[in-house]
């Protein structure tokens, strides 16, 4: 087990109020430029980049929850996360390591960066209907901390929060201290009681993204193997492998997730540098189609928009693409050299 994997409620804070309720989805970002975007210049430095919302995002099955930029001026090339605040109608620059919004728009979870307590992962769970939040500390010390060459200590990391489709569970990837690209397992956190449960799953490949939910939250999946020769494994909620797909690529977790809403198909980023989106039959694992992705310096945003469309990068930015590769709508317009990594999730 992961040792003392007990959670403790650290505080209950009133951070903000909001007009959003469980019955009414929160307002989405309005068309206009996104702040804080940078662009790599010819001398290797960063200047002001271009990125803008160019479509009405309200009333859609997906939500733009945050985006990450490169902050060269203040943080020497470190990443900065901008989180959408519906009550303030704007994106707010944050110190969060990760940020995710539940499918009903009610709950947010943020992973707090802390250099003072590297053996713990701290989460902030916010209920947008009340404006109250709770901080949760997850102790990671007892699971194989590793000594570094300079005399320091590495600890396992909890990353990439993923909400279940019903918004009642959070799934985190826990990486090994000695091998950051390999998993120690997953942590599942029930909401709102915040009871954590660790499931040991060793050596899943988590270089870009980690564990993801299936379409109804009864399974989770991850890429397994070595780069250049991987499969996709499906696990039940007790950690038993129930299926293995002999397919290429990283499962695409943005938008509606890896699986289409019906669960009949799933998608991976299937070529080196994520230059293609591959759609597979969920029953047989056979290929359905492969769509070329416009090459750029940005990681591909990839997942389902609805049953017949994907949410992926396009020549203009980020858009909705059908299974024949036709762009039906552009949602974000991005400069070709803009350093921005948008994060979409489901909304119902």
């Amino acid at each position: 087990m992961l040792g003392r994997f007990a959670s403790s409620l650290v505080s209950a804070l009133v951070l903000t109020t909001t007009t959003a309720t469980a019955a009414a989805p929160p307002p989405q970002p309005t068309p206009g430029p996104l702040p804080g975007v940078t662009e790599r210049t010819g001398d290797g430095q960063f200047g002001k980049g271009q990125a803008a919302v160019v479509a009405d995002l309200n009333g859609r099955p997906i939500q733009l929850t945050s985006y990450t930029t490169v902050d060269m001026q203040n943080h020497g090339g470190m990443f900065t996360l901008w989180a959408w605040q519906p009550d303030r109608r704007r994106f707010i620059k944050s110190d969060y390591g990760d940020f995710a919004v539940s499918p009903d728009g009610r709950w947010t979870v943020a992973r707090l960066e802390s250099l003072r307590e590297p053996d713990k992962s701290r989460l902030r769970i916010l209920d947008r209907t009340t404006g109250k939040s709770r901080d949760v500390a997850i102790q990671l010390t007892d699971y194989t901390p590793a000594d570094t060459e300079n005399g320091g200590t590495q600890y396992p990391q909890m990353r990439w929060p993923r909400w279940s489709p019903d918004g009642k569970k959070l799934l985190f990837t826990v990486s090994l201290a000695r091998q950051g690209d390999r998993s120690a397992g997953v942590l599942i956190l029930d909401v709102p009681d915040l009871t954590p449960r660790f499931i040991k799953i060793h050596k899943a490949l988590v270089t870009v993204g980690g564990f993801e939910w299936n379409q109804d939250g009864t399974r989770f999946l991850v890429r397994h193997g070595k780069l250049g020769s991987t499969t996709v494994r499906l696990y039940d909620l007790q950690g038993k492998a129930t299926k293995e797909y002999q397919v290429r690529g990283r499962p695409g977790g943005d938008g509606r997730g890896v699986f289409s809403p019906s669960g009949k198909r799933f998608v991976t980023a299937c070529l080196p540098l994520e230059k293609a989106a591959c759609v597979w039959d969920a029953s047989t694992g056979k290929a359905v189609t492969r769509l070329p992705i416009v090459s750029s310096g940005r990681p591909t945003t990839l997942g389902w928009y609805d049953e017949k469309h994907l949410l992926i990068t396009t020549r203009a930015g980020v858009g909705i693409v059908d299974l024949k590769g036709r762009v039906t709508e552009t949602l974000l317009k991005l400069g070709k050299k803009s350093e921005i990594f948008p994060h979409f999730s489901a909304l119902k």
Side-chain angles (χ1 to χ4, degrees), residues 10-11 13 15 94-99 109-118 120-125 133-137 157-158 161 172:
V10 178
S11 62
L13 306 174
L15 295 185
S94 76
D95 294 325
Y96 300 151
D98 291 299
F99 182 80
V109 59
R111 182 173 61 84
L112 308 179
E113 299 280 15
S114 176
L115 298 177
R116 292 180 298 177
E117 296 180 293
K120 295 180 181 178
S121 282
R122 292 191 176 274
L123 309 174
R124 178 160 294 161
I125 313 292
S133 76
R134 287 179 288 180
D135 285 7
V136 183
Q157 295 294 312
M158 246 174 70
F172 292 87

Side-chain angles (χ1 to χ4, degrees), residues 12 15 28 38 59 65 108 126-127 145 151 165 181 213 222 237 308 316 338 342:
L15 295 185
Q28 298 302 296
T38 57
T65 59
T108 70
L126 170 67
D127 183 348
D181 63 345
W213 292 106
V222 73
L237 297 185
K308 297 182 179 180
S338 292

Side-chain angles (χ1 to χ4, degrees), residues 57-212:
L57 299 182
N58 289 287
R60 296 180 183 270
I62 53 95
Q63 55 184 331
L64 175 59
T65 59
S66 63
Y67 60 91
T68 305
T69 61
V70 179
D71 192 338
M72 189 69 181
Q73 182 176 359
N74 297 318
H75 298 288
M78 297 295 289
F79 294 110
T80 299
L81 189 142
W82 297 73
W84 172 247
Q85 300 292 322
D87 60 313
R88 301 172 69 176
R89 302 296 199 277
R90 62 191 181 101
F91 285 95
I92 303 298
K93 186 177 181 179
S94 76
D95 294 325
Y96 300 151
D98 291 299
F99 182 80
V101 182
S102 63
D104 61 3
R106 176 178 177 179
W107 301 92
T108 70
V109 59
R111 182 173 61 84
L112 308 179
E113 299 280 15
S114 176
L115 298 177
R116 292 180 298 177
E117 296 180 293
D119 60 323
K120 295 180 181 178
S121 282
R122 292 191 176 274
L123 309 174
R124 178 160 294 161
I125 313 292
L126 170 67
D127 183 348
R128 283 174 165 175
T129 62
T130 63
K132 294 182 179 180
S133 76
R134 287 179 288 180
D135 285 7
V136 183
I138 306 294
Q139 187 79 31
L140 299 173
T141 309
D142 290 347
Y143 198 85
T144 58
D147 295 330
T148 62
E149 294 181 357
N150 61 5
T153 303
Q154 293 177 328
Y155 296 93
Q157 295 294 312
M158 246 174 70
R159 297 179 289 174
W160 302 312
R162 298 290 188 262
W163 287 93
S164 61
D166 62 6
K168 295 181 179 180
K169 289 181 173 62
L170 278 162
L171 178 73
F172 292 87
T173 297
V174 182
S175 62
L176 287 169
R178 297 179 186 276
Q179 292 177 281
D181 63 345
R182 295 289 164 175
S183 73
V186 298
L187 182 119
I188 296 177
L189 193 67
D190 291 321
V191 178
D193 64 350
L194 305 182
T195 302
R197 182 165 66 95
F198 177 74
I199 301 173
K200 182 179 178 180
I201 298 176
H202 267 184
K203 298 184 179 180
L205 185 59
V206 294
T207 51
V208 180
F211 290 84
E212 306 282 354

